[in-house]
Amino acid sequence: MAAKKLCEAYSKSLLDEAHRWGGLKQTGVSLKYMMEFGSRPSERNLLISAQFLHKELPIRIARRAIELENLPYGLSEKPAVLKVRDWYLDSFRDVRAFPDIKDATDERDFTQMIKAVKVRHNNVVPMMALGVQQLKKDMKQKVVTEDLDEIHQFLDRFYMSRIGIRMLIGQHVELHNPNPPPHCVGYIHTRMSPVEVARNAIEDARAICLREYGSAPDINIYGDPSFTFPYVPTHLHLMVFELVKNSLRAVQERFMDSDKVAPPIRIIVADGDEDVTIKVSDEGGGIPRSGLPKIFTYLYSTAKNPLDENSDLGIADNVTMAGYGYGLPISRLYARYFGGDLQIISMEGYGTDAYLHLSRLADSQEPLP
């Protein structure tokens, strides 16, 4: 069925071309390079950047489109996954159809086109989650609870690649901003205060907790607000928001019916020579040791996907405390994208510590799945 649909919608020459481009070598970029290159967004530099993306994006997009056709357990045939594959093939076609970029006018047109590509892919994560849900529904419980390593590894590669594609497009588009905020080079803030970003993420997470439960535990943050380093604030916000949201939910549910006052969540920001580490500590009861390997998989969430079978795609922005179970694995990918990591250590019966490591060195290359 999937193969039939593919041939109807896309010409054989486009599919052959996608296979050819998918076999080419990807080129990684470091945070440092993006920062240095983007600090002078002259017409010439924007042209060089667009020419690089014109060659690089089709390779990255084609790899994912091909992979989406060959997933195990029939995942490729699920309606939601077919839809995602169509988005990737449409984007591949759009970028390949764009003529060589020779001057500033071409570059501006190209920028508008890749902007549209980025918007087309906005709902990829919930849509893939829906595909996995469709798969789980059809499979026997026995198979799902075994480790579906292959699907998990595919999703890690797929989402890591998506972070890279969105970073490259977003960075290029943002370099066109005529009034960039102070110390910002595209998406990168050259003097980002992790304490400030964490404070904003805390506010957002507490607001959701208050909305859902009517109250929220206190959060204390320790660290020097004047300490800064170059990083992407949107990435850090997403990661801290996710960790704090999980802690709030755990503490809130543990102390909801208790006479005791819910203990505060503690956040510590430490600046080392190599890493900036953010530790989020809660007393929400912890996770049993047997459950720890599962927290970074994409297959175990019991939470409801905002894009369930019947919902309208336009309303995928409703953030809930439970999310749809992809927060931790995707946060870890964001951390690893610029050479960091995320670790979770738990004491069952007490609480959980999350360690978010961010590399200060800024010269690690993008991971290229």
Side-chain angles (χ1 to χ4, degrees):
M1 166 62 199
K4 181 168 174 283
K5 184 177 182 303
L6 200 61
C7 300
E8 284 168 6
Y10 300 96
S11 67
K12 184 177 184 303
S13 61
L14 179 80
L15 298 174
D16 289 347
E17 195 180 359
H19 277 268
R20 195 165 53 78
W21 277 79
L24 299 176
K25 188 176 182 297
Q26 305 173 92
T27 306
V29 202
S30 68
L31 180 69
K32 195 174 181 180
Y33 178 78
M34 286 189 219
M35 199 160 59
E36 286 169 2
F37 183 85
S39 61
R40 301 173 301 281
S42 60
E43 202 169 280
R44 181 175 173 274
N45 274 2
L46 288 169
L47 196 61
I48 292 168
S49 170
Q51 288 164 343
F52 167 71
L53 292 179
H54 194 213
K55 287 199 178 71
E56 183 65 16
L57 289 175
I59 300 174
R60 297 193 186 195
I61 292 169
R63 281 182 172 231
R64 304 287 73 91
I66 294 160
E67 231 186 342
L68 282 164
E69 285 174 33
N70 302 301
L71 300 176
Y73 306 109
L75 185 56
S76 294
E77 279 81 48
K78 296 291 167 256
V81 178
L82 289 170
K83 192 171 206 133
V84 172
R85 189 219 50 211
D86 288 355
W87 290 340
Y88 274 78
L89 284 170
D90 288 344
S91 296
F92 175 77
R93 183 178 55 200
D94 289 354
V95 181
R96 283 296 299 130
F98 200 91
D100 284 347
I101 301 160
K102 297 193 172 72
D103 56 33
T105 309
D106 294 347
E107 189 275 324
R108 276 193 296 275
D109 291 344
F110 177 77
T111 301
Q112 288 310 309
M113 185 269 294
I114 59 173
K115 216 170 166 175
V117 164
K118 186 166 179 273
V119 170
R120 174 187 288 142
H121 292 248
N122 278 351
N123 273 326
V124 160
V125 176
M127 192 54 86
M128 282 303 291
L130 182 57
V132 172
Q133 277 183 359
Q134 290 166 344
L135 176 72
K136 280 170 72 173
K137 207 183 279 182
D138 297 347
M139 286 175 89
K140 293 179 175 54
Q141 198 57 35
K142 168 175 75 68
V143 190
V144 174
T145 46
E146 281 166 19
D147 243 344
L148 288 180
D149 268 353
E150 221 179 323
I151 289 180
H152 175 74
Q153 285 161 12
F154 156 72
L155 288 169
D156 261 353
R157 286 194 303 275
F158 183 77
Y159 291 133
M160 180 66 93
S161 169
R162 178 174 186 269
I163 291 168
I165 290 168
R166 293 181 83 75
M167 180 70 201
L168 292 182
I169 294 178
Q171 183 67 5
H172 180 83
V173 169
E174 192 52 39
L175 290 177
H176 281 268
N177 184 346
N179 306 305
H183 312 300
C184 282
V185 176
Y187 273 5
I188 303 159
H189 194 309
T190 59
R191 297 188 192 170
M192 184 196 75
S193 158
V195 170
E196 280 308 310
V197 175
R199 277 188 183 140
N200 292 333
I202 287 164
E203 260 177 57
D204 290 354
R206 280 193 93 239
I208 288 171
C209 187
L210 283 164
R211 191 180 73 206
E212 217 149 289
Y213 295 105
S215 63
D218 286 338
I219 299 178
N220 300 329
I221 184 162
Y222 306 92
D224 178 3
S226 64
F227 162 68
T228 65
F229 77 115
Y231 203 72
V232 179
T234 49
H235 288 191
L236 180 58
H237 186 285
L238 178 146
M239 295 184 280
V240 174
F241 172 78
E242 194 56 45
L243 296 173
V244 170
K245 188 162 65 78
N246 289 347
S247 287
L248 285 167
R249 185 173 168 218
V251 172
Q252 191 65 28
E253 298 201 341
R254 188 182 189 200
F255 289 89
M256 212 157 33
D257 303 320
S258 159
D259 307 336
K260 295 179 185 151
V261 176
I265 291 158
R266 293 179 307 285
I267 297 179
I268 301 164
V269 179
D271 48 310
D273 292 338
E274 282 183 25
D275 280 354
V276 173
T277 304
I278 299 175
K279 176 180 164 186
V280 180
S281 294
D282 70 57
E283 294 174 38
I287 301 158
R289 206 153 44 96
S290 61
L292 272 173
K294 297 178 185 176
I295 62 176
F296 284 112
T297 70
Y298 300 94
L299 297 155
Y300 289 97
S301 179
T302 52
K304 190 171 176 297
N305 186 329
L307 299 189
D308 66 17
E309 307 275 348
N310 316 309
S311 74
D312 169 26
L313 273 183
I315 54 165
D317 294 332
N318 307 336
V319 181
T320 64
M321 285 301 278
Y324 39 94
Y326 280 26
L328 280 177
I330 284 184
S331 294
R332 184 166 69 173
L333 295 179
Y334 272 99
R336 288 178 173 175
Y337 178 68
F338 283 128
D341 209 354
L342 171 61
Q343 293 170 306
I344 305 285
I345 295 168
S346 192
M347 289 172 72
E348 189 187 6
Y350 181 74
T352 302
D353 288 348
Y355 291 85
L356 176 59
H357 303 281
L358 311 171
S359 173
R360 277 190 79 163
L361 307 179
D363 51 9
S364 68
Q365 292 288 325
E366 294 178 278
L368 294 173

